[in-house]
Every structure is written in structure tokens, then in C-alpha cells.
Amino acid sequence: RKCSNKTADAFILVFNCSGRAMHVHRKFKTCRGAVRCLYSTNQPQLAARPVKQKMSPVPKLVAFDLDGTLWNPEMYELWGGAPFRRDKEGRVYDSANQRIDLIGATADILRELATDPKWKGTQVAYVSRTEYPERAIPCLKAFIIAEATSMFDLAPHQEIYPGSKTSHFKKISRASGIDFEEMIFFDNERWNITDCSPLGITCVYTPEGLTRRHWEEGLKRYAAAAAKRNGGSTAEDS
């Protein structure tokens, strides 16, 4: 039996809109062949799964605690606080002439982040629970870590206020669009590491402050985690 074009069009319309093939089959008993043919060639198609981007072995965001990680003394220990001044040698002092020093390899690492092309696609963040942001922010502006670039200029993300650092990182992730798994974080307090690690951030404990050893070990850990998530390869391999 031959079905008319009109009947076939009606079949296609009902099948595609409702998906009830058996109902259509019974209604068009005289078009069994057409029903079988269309049913076999118009199966619902599964949506293509999005291709997951491979993670780079270089983190998209590098975050640092401030007090005890990048500088000493801590902001609450200062005698005078702001305003801060910088002498000809680049040393920074508070209003009571108390000196603030960068710890370990901090100056070299921040300079690398500011000038090395390797870090061109990486953002920097400061994540601090200090109760003295009115001291920390001008102190960041006083330290020059590369030509015409202060510590403040280097970091587009500055979450510097009391509270849980998990909340700090959630704000950074929303603002930057960067997933936690693509971040690395350095902090000298063990409990901050414990709090933030479950988010998926590569957290590096730095009890002596930021040293070259902690920096390099942290980057190795991040690259290994990225390779594991990529199934054994990095973005540079693809």
C-alpha cells in the first residue's frame, strides 16, 4: 500500500512532537511499511557531550596569604601603621619607622610573576584574614617588585578582611571565572590550608613563609594534579 505525502508528513509531525511511535502506528494501520521505515530512521539523537578542556601545567591563578607568608611583622604587630614610606634602597617603613620585610623568596617570585612571559596568562590574588586592611593595602602599594609595578598593582584580586578564606576564594572564582582546580595557594597557617583544600585548590603550607623550595614544590604538585585530571597528559601535550 502506498502512503500519500500528506499522510507521511502527518506521521513525521506527530512522531517528532510527541515521540509516541506506537500511537501513530495504530492510527495509520494502512501505512505499516512507512511507519517502520520512519521509525527506524528517525531515532532520537543524543546531544554531543562538551569537550572538557585540558588543564595547563601552569596555574591560572596564584594566591598568597600576606602576614607571615609574604611579609613580617604582621599588620597587627606594627607600632604605627599607615602611612608607609619607601627609602632609596626600596625598604619599607611604617609611620613609626618600623621596617616591614619581605620573607624568603617573596620579592624574586613576585618579580617573576610580573615579568616572566611564562606567567602572562596567570592572575595573582592576595587572600588575607587580617583585621587591618587599612594597613595592608597601603603597605602593598609601598613595595615595588618590578619597574613601576607595586605588589598592589600585581594582583587584580585582593580579598583582605576577616572571615573564612573559603568565602574569599569563592568570590575570586566568581570574579575571575577560574575554577578552584586551576588555582594554587600559599599560606603559613595550617588551618587555612585545611579549610581551603576541599575546594580543589592546590594548597601549599609555608610555615617559614614563602621560600623558593615551597614555591617549586607547590608548582610540581599543581602540575602533577593537572596531569592526573587530564588522564596522564597536560594541555601542552595536546
Side-chain angles (χ1 to χ4, degrees):
R1 305 176 185 90
K2 183 176 181 181
C3 296
S4 67
N5 290 335
K6 183 176 181 181
T7 303
D9 290 342
F11 169 80
I12 293 170
L13 177 62
V14 175
F15 181 86
N16 286 345
C17 291
S18 69
R20 298 175 64 184
M22 293 304 294
H23 174 77
V24 174
H25 179 77
R26 288 196 299 270
K27 184 174 182 181
F28 297 97
K29 291 187 292 183
T30 59
C31 299
R32 289 173 175 256
V35 169
R36 284 196 294 269
C37 178
L38 290 171
Y39 186 81
S40 65
T41 58
N42 286 274
Q43 298 296 321
Q45 299 297 311
L46 295 176
R49 293 183 180 179
V51 178
K52 187 176 180 180
Q53 295 290 329
K54 285 189 177 293
M55 287 178 58
S56 168
V58 177
K60 288 187 177 181
L61 186 136
V62 179
F64 302 100
D65 171 51
L66 294 175
D67 290 344
T69 298
L70 298 189
W71 61 36
N72 267 327
E74 299 188 20
M75 292 294 102
Y76 79 91
E77 297 175 312
L78 295 179
W79 301 330
F84 295 85
R85 66 178 180 86
R86 182 176 60 255
D87 67 15
K88 293 180 180 180
E89 284 73 36
R91 294 180 293 240
V92 173
Y93 300 84
D94 75 352
S95 60
N97 212 36
Q98 184 177 7
R99 180 173 166 178
I100 300 91
D101 294 308
L102 297 181
I103 301 172
T106 295
D108 290 340
I109 290 167
L110 296 182
R111 187 178 304 111
E112 179 183 332
L113 288 168
T115 61
D116 192 328
K118 170 184 177 180
W119 299 103
K120 185 177 181 180
T122 297
Q123 299 181 36
V124 176
Y126 300 129
V127 181
S128 172
R129 298 179 63 256
T130 182
E131 296 182 353
Y132 294 90
E134 72 279 5
R135 295 180 178 181
I137 291 172
C139 189
L140 288 169
K141 293 178 178 180
F143 279 103
I144 303 299
I145 46 91
E147 185 176 355
T149 302
S150 68
M151 287 179 67
F152 181 87
D153 298 329
L154 179 64
H157 307 286
Q158 300 181 14
E159 300 297 321
I160 304 173
Y161 47 84
S164 170
K165 291 194 177 183
T166 59
S167 298
H168 291 54
F169 274 108
K170 288 175 183 177
K171 289 184 178 180
I172 291 172
S173 182
R174 286 195 296 268
S176 66
I178 298 173
D179 293 336
F180 297 128
E181 291 80 5
E182 296 177 302
M183 301 179 182
I184 189 169
F185 174 45
F186 298 85
D187 196 298
N188 71 310
E189 296 287 350
R190 173 67 75 180
W191 69 300
N192 288 323
I193 299 298
T194 301
D195 278 354
C196 296
S197 291
L199 293 175
I201 301 167
T202 298
C203 295
V204 184
Y205 179 47
T206 60
E208 305 91 15
L210 185 62
T211 65
R212 178 61 64 175
R213 177 176 63 84
H214 291 136
W215 172 250
E216 292 178 352
E217 288 180 355
L219 294 181
K220 288 179 181 178
R221 279 181 50 204
Y222 177 88
K228 183 176 180 180
R229 291 190 183 97
N230 292 339
S233 64
T234 66
E236 292 183 348
D237 298 327
S238 58

